[in-house]
Amino acid sequence: DIDDYGFVVICSPVYSESIDEEIIVFARENAGILRQRKVALICVCIAEQLAGRYLEPIRGLLGDSVVFQSAAAGHIDMEKLSGKDRELMEGFCSMTGASTSHLKVFDNDSLVELALRIKEIKDEGIGRIEDDLLRKHIEDFLKGHNTCVLATGNGGRVRATPIEYMFIDGSIYMLSEGGEKFANLILNPSVSIGINNPYKSMSDLAGMQISGKAGLVGIGSEEYKYVLGNRGLDFDKISSLPMALNLLKIDICKIEFLWSGFGKLGYDVKQILAAY
């Protein structure tokens, strides 16, 4: 029932240069309610550059409710086509000079990026809280905790490290002797951080995901000493230790905060701060 949803994704394959007629009928019969929703339109096709033309019959019905449209690369398996369809495609390839091998353009990475883009649009503007107020709640949460899970990765190697953190002047700092996470960070500075309260009930949720870029603060630098001071540590004593104590600095790129308290304030329980 479309009444239950505020964001609708309509996806159709393209056959014989047209999207599925049943989907056009669906859009026509539900145009009244769809025009009151946000709609993303996707067509699965070989010629991605023709997405606008393929989707025009639906876009024409739904107008400004369409907030996003694109194509997902598909493929045609010539071996699975019926006799008539195969004959038509072979004729098309012969006429255009296209090779049948070019009819397989599906790419899983591109499909995932498309899906994430749609999710990003869906999350925008739904029960949004003002950025300044959101930032205050975020900082209160970060200052009220001191332990997180730091996720690093490169290629097929991923690592999730429980670690103590400090939130200072808009950045996150972590002290560490080393470990496998540094092997990932040398090759890929992108990190994800998870912080959460223990689960009690669906009406009492609090968890935060942070995307950021990690770098090392030079040992002995003014910033290094400043952070140690905030932690109540003496630089001279730390320097006398038999091992180096590295300081990771995480520059925050995005914060996703799920907190039941937002709902009690009249907002969506999940809020996103796109840039800190």
Side-chain angles (χ1 to χ4, degrees):
D1 188 342
I2 305 174
D3 281 330
D4 294 334
Y5 301 93
F7 190 94
V8 180
V9 180
I10 298 177
C11 185
S12 172
V14 171
Y15 173 75
S16 190
E17 295 299 292
S18 298
I19 59 176
D20 193 320
E21 180 61 29
E22 290 186 20
I23 293 179
I24 297 176
V25 172
F26 167 82
R28 184 181 297 119
E29 292 179 345
N30 294 278
I33 190 169
L34 286 171
R35 289 194 194 105
Q36 301 171 37
R37 304 292 186 266
K38 291 184 178 181
V39 181
L41 301 179
I42 307 296
C43 63
V44 181
C45 59
I46 302 299
E48 297 174 76
Q49 70 275 17
L50 299 180
R53 192 183 85 186
Y54 294 145
L55 293 169
E56 181 54 38
I58 299 182
R59 173 132 203 170
L61 290 167
L62 304 185
D64 293 339
S65 65
V66 177
V67 295
F68 179 77
Q69 69 175 37
S70 186
H75 75 269
I76 296 175
D77 190 336
M78 297 290 285
E79 299 303 318
K80 292 184 178 180
L81 294 182
S82 63
K84 184 61 176 176
D85 284 341
R86 184 184 178 94
E87 182 181 331
L88 287 171
M89 284 307 305
E90 287 177 342
F92 172 80
C93 290
S94 176
M95 179 181 67
T96 61
S99 167
T100 56
S101 63
H102 293 160
L103 301 178
K104 297 181 179 181
V105 294
F106 173 78
D107 177 69
N108 203 50
D109 289 346
S110 297
L111 181 62
V112 169
E113 290 299 324
L114 175 61
L116 289 174
R117 175 60 183 141
I118 293 172
K119 178 184 180 296
E120 183 179 293
I121 294 171
K122 176 186 73 69
D123 290 339
E124 290 175 355
I126 300 178
R128 284 275 293 135
I129 191 172
E130 299 84 357
D131 280 355
D132 288 344
L133 184 55
L134 174 57
R135 192 174 283 106
K136 178 185 182 301
H137 287 299
I138 285 172
E139 293 187 358
D140 287 345
F141 184 82
L142 286 170
K143 292 174 181 177
H145 295 72
N146 63 6
T147 306
C148 69
V149 174
L150 171 68
T152 61
N154 185 65
R157 184 179 59 246
V158 294
R159 187 82 170 170
T161 307
I163 188 170
E164 185 182 0
Y165 75 87
M166 297 164 282
F167 178 68
I168 301 172
D169 299 339
S171 295
I172 292 175
Y173 293 89
M174 302 169 183
L175 289 165
S176 174
E177 296 175 26
E180 290 184 31
K181 58 184 172 291
F182 284 87
N184 290 334
L185 291 173
I186 288 171
L187 300 171
N188 179 14
S190 297
V191 300
S192 183
I193 295 171
I195 310 168
N196 65 279
N197 287 351
Y199 175 78
K200 295 180 181 177
S201 69
M202 290 299 292
S203 61
D204 188 21
L205 297 174
M208 185 177 290
Q209 291 176 295
I210 301 172
S211 301
K213 298 286 187 181
L216 277 173
V217 177
I219 295 177
S221 66
E222 289 303 313
E223 184 177 9
Y224 186 92
K225 295 177 181 178
Y226 173 69
V227 173
L228 287 186
N230 271 271
R231 181 64 176 78
L233 297 173
D234 180 79
F235 173 68
D236 291 332
K237 290 182 179 178
I238 293 297
S239 300
S240 66
L241 294 174
M243 73 290 184
L245 195 58
N246 300 293
L247 180 61
L248 278 173
K249 179 181 182 180
I250 313 297
D251 291 321
I252 298 172
C253 300
K254 182 172 77 171
I255 296 178
E256 300 170 72
F257 191 12
L258 179 68
W259 180 44
S260 302
F262 288 131
K264 297 171 185 175
L265 295 172
Y267 302 101
D268 193 84
V269 294
K270 182 177 180 181
Q271 296 291 324
I272 297 174
L273 191 61
Y276 193 80

